Amino acid sequence: MKSAVETLNPTRVRLTVEVPFEELKDSLDAAYKKINQQVTVKGFRKGKIPARVIDQRFGRGAVLEEAVNDALPKFYTDAVNEAELNPLGQPEVDITELKDGETLNFTAEVDIRPTVEIPDYSGIEVEVDAVEVSDEDVEKSVEQLRERFASTSPVERAAQDGDVLTLDLQAKVDGEVLEDGVADGVSYTIGSGELLDGIDEAVKGLEAGGEATFASELKGGSAAGKEAEVTVKVSQVAARELPELDDDFAQLASEFDTLEELQADSRKRLANMKQYDQATQAQERVLDKLLELVEIPVPEKLLEDEINTRKHNLEHHQLGQMGLDLEKYLELQGKTAEEFETETREAAVKGIKTQFVLDELVKQENLNVSQEELTEHLMRRASSSGMSPDQFAQAVVEQGQVPLLVGEVARGKALAAVVEKATVKDTNGEIVDLDDEEDEEPETAEAAATESADAEQADDKAGKAEEKTEG
């Protein structure tokens, strides 16, 4: 076999492959054997039909087609390995010449990973928000805890903000009561915004036994997005009573004996959260700076696939669970279809570039992933997916996704190495020490690793040629 490579652009090549006919022998034998098992010819036992009879009865062309389809993936893979290419996705294969007994010639066009030159990134500087916890932050945190321990007691008066109501609801669309539009005994806190738009105005001022009707767009159910006439009846009004902010409350709501200790713990927890947010912000901004330093062409087909995947996941998974379609989602977001397309494309480009850059850094820095690191990452992914670690691990193994997880961890380590060499200052001009976050895998790096999963999956398929014959 002989092969040559023609560069069509920085991310696409054309392989030209010439195969002597004798190298098709194993595939031809396999083709005759396969056809032998599929057909019957009078006078011959199944599986014992001579090749000349198969040629006469079914045509030599059918045998050649079967043999070529069987042989193409191997010849394509050999050509890719010989040229030391890093293909992305399936090749477009064209049989340019097939002469029985003489030669098989074909071309294969395929996207490849671009060459990525990583410049010196030690001079990257970014600014992040300072970690500052105000008295108001602590007060708000403690107040939220206090809200959780509020008690309620029925009152005989008109409903007002903050009251907890027990409601019966009925929704009609076009004058017809919806099958899933009736709910009794619903608990609702006025002002929480947890039910329908317009319900607060409808129930305020009503006493137990009061009833009101209002129009609202349904957020979920069989008529999601439609305007409905909603009748609401108040069966009980209850006032919320907050516990006193004192040592007794601290003992009730926490492991602390005094309110002062509870407030100090709240301040510490808020500081930890802000430090984590600060670290994540640093990683995001360092990554953006790194991408600005590197010129990376993006394969158009890979980009198109990534955009389509993002749209599909949004429409059929995320929005579907929320009972929304894309049109309603854009309306709620205040975006036009054009703005959505632009943002999706920009995010896809960034995701692909991020993967290319971090993968190159993994190679350049000789980063390896230990079993412990992989296990910790798997535990985090399982937690975010809502599955148990055992279930998630089984699914990963069954779907052959272990290399993807290894890649995610490695990219996380690559980004961490860049952040370590960057200068990070807060808005007060102080140098930020991110060493405390070193033991935790950067959230941004993990997101970057999964941002363009299709590119990684395309790599896994690269050795399989498209089964296509012409002529």
Side-chain angles (χ1 to χ4, degrees):
M1 185 195 80
K2 294 192 303 182
S3 64
V5 181
E6 177 187 358
T7 300
L8 303 178
N9 62 50
T11 62
R12 193 167 180 83
V13 298
R14 178 188 293 124
L15 285 164
T16 301
V17 184
E18 298 179 11
V19 182
F21 205 79
E22 57 266 22
E23 292 188 28
L24 283 171
K25 183 180 184 307
D26 289 345
S27 293
L28 279 169
D29 291 344
Y32 279 116
K33 184 176 181 180
K34 181 176 180 180
I35 293 173
N36 240 310
Q37 299 300 321
Q38 295 175 338
V39 301
T40 57
V41 175
K42 189 175 181 180
F44 296 95
R45 285 182 295 162
K46 194 174 186 64
K48 299 295 183 180
I49 307 170
R52 60 179 176 76
V53 175
I54 290 177
D55 290 345
Q56 292 168 358
R57 290 294 185 94
F58 306 103
R60 173 71 167 176
V63 180
L64 288 175
E65 180 176 343
E66 181 67 37
V68 169
N69 284 339
D70 175 73
L72 272 179
K74 176 184 181 303
F75 294 133
Y76 166 74
T77 301
D78 289 346
V80 165
N81 292 337
E82 184 178 298
E84 297 183 344
L85 299 176
N86 292 310
L88 299 169
Q90 295 284 4
E92 294 180 6
V93 177
D94 181 27
I95 306 298
T96 56
E97 185 176 23
L98 176 58
K99 288 186 178 180
D100 194 358
E102 296 182 27
T103 186
L104 162 66
N105 298 334
F106 70 90
T107 62
E109 287 190 18
V110 67
D111 287 330
I112 58 170
R113 278 178 171 260
T115 300
V116 179
E117 297 291 339
I118 306 293
D120 179 18
Y121 51 80
S122 59
I124 290 179
E125 294 187 11
V126 297
E127 184 181 73
V128 296
D129 295 335
V131 173
E132 296 173 343
V133 180
S134 66
D135 292 342
E136 289 75 14
D137 291 333
V138 175
E139 183 180 331
K140 183 179 178 181
S141 176
V142 173
E143 190 63 26
Q144 288 173 342
L145 183 62
R146 187 182 178 208
E147 293 275 351
R148 289 170 50 191
F149 284 85
S151 59
T152 60
S153 57
V155 293
E156 295 183 2
R157 60 164 172 77
Q160 58 190 35
D161 278 333
D163 284 346
V164 180
L165 309 183
T166 304
L167 308 173
D168 296 335
L169 298 163
Q170 183 186 83
K172 293 181 180 179
V173 173
D174 298 329
E176 296 291 331
V177 178
L178 299 171
E179 288 187 11
D180 55 354
V182 178
D184 295 332
V186 176
S187 179
Y188 176 67
T189 301
I190 299 179
S192 66
E194 295 175 351
L195 280 177
L196 300 166
D197 293 338
I199 193 169
D200 286 346
E201 293 76 9
V203 297
K204 280 181 188 177
L206 295 181
E207 297 185 18
E211 186 175 302
T213 299
F214 64 100
S216 183
E217 185 177 293
L218 300 178
K219 296 180 180 179
S222 61
K226 292 185 177 180
E227 191 79 9
E229 180 185 273
V230 182
T231 300
V232 55
K233 183 176 181 180
V234 180
S235 57
Q236 178 180 279
V237 178
R240 299 177 74 248
E241 298 177 2
L242 297 175
E244 290 294 326
L245 277 177
D246 53 22
D247 292 347
D248 288 340
F249 168 69
Q251 294 167 21
L252 171 68
S254 70
E255 71 271 28
F256 301 106
D257 294 326
T258 67
L259 179 61
E260 185 177 351
E261 290 176 320
L262 172 60
Q263 291 169 330
D265 180 69
S266 294
R267 186 179 295 276
K268 181 179 178 181
R269 286 188 298 103
L270 288 170
N272 289 338
M273 291 171 58
K274 286 179 179 283
Q275 285 174 346
Y276 183 80
D277 290 343
Q278 185 188 63
T280 301
Q281 191 179 62
Q283 293 152 8
E284 291 172 348
R285 294 183 179 180
V286 168
L287 176 60
D288 288 340
K289 289 280 190 179
L290 177 63
L291 293 179
E292 289 175 8
L293 296 175
V294 188
E295 287 292 330
I296 312 170
V298 176
E300 197 58 40
K301 180 64 168 59
L302 182 65
L303 177 57
E304 179 184 335
D305 290 344
E306 179 69 11
I307 290 172
N308 290 336
T309 297
R310 287 168 180 266
K311 289 180 179 178
H312 178 85
N313 289 340
L314 175 65
E315 292 188 61
H316 298 280
H317 297 293
Q318 300 170 42
L319 297 185
Q321 294 175 356
M322 298 163 60
L324 297 174
D325 58 19
L326 182 59
E327 183 178 354
K328 183 60 180 176
Y329 167 75
L330 294 180
E331 181 184 329
L332 293 173
Q333 293 289 313
K335 295 178 183 176
T336 65
E338 291 74 18
E339 289 171 334
F340 170 72
E341 290 289 339
T342 299
E343 289 180 6
T344 303
R345 183 178 183 85
E346 289 175 350
V349 168
K350 181 179 179 181
I352 293 171
K353 286 185 174 182
T354 295
Q355 180 170 325
F356 287 163
V357 169
L358 295 183
D359 282 348
E360 184 61 31
L361 277 168
V362 168
K363 288 167 45 180
Q364 190 170 293
E365 301 293 336
N366 294 316
L367 299 176
N368 297 310
V369 176
S370 68
Q371 183 60 50
E372 182 181 0
E373 290 169 331
L374 181 60
T375 300
E376 290 176 357
H377 179 64
L378 186 148
M379 299 281 282
R380 278 191 290 271
R381 288 290 303 274
S383 176
S384 63
S385 71
M387 301 170 67
S388 72
D390 287 344
Q391 290 174 323
F392 187 80
Q394 183 177 353
V396 166
V397 172
E398 290 177 351
Q399 296 170 19
Q401 301 297 299
V402 173
L404 292 182
L405 261 64
V406 172
E408 291 172 8
V409 178
R411 293 182 197 111
K413 295 178 70 172
L415 181 55
V418 179
V419 173
E420 185 179 352
K421 292 184 178 180
T423 299
V424 181
K425 294 183 179 180
D426 66 19
T427 49
N428 294 329
E430 299 291 330
I431 296 290
V432 176
D433 185 1
L434 298 174
D435 286 346
D436 291 342
E437 279 73 35
E438 281 186 352
D439 292 336
E440 296 188 27
E441 182 175 333
E443 181 178 311
T444 302
E446 184 172 313
T450 57
E451 191 75 17
S452 183
D454 283 347
E456 186 77 16
Q457 292 166 351
D459 282 346
D460 293 340
K461 300 175 183 176
K464 302 175 182 177
E466 179 180 302
E467 295 186 358
K468 172 183 176 185
T469 58
E470 297 181 359

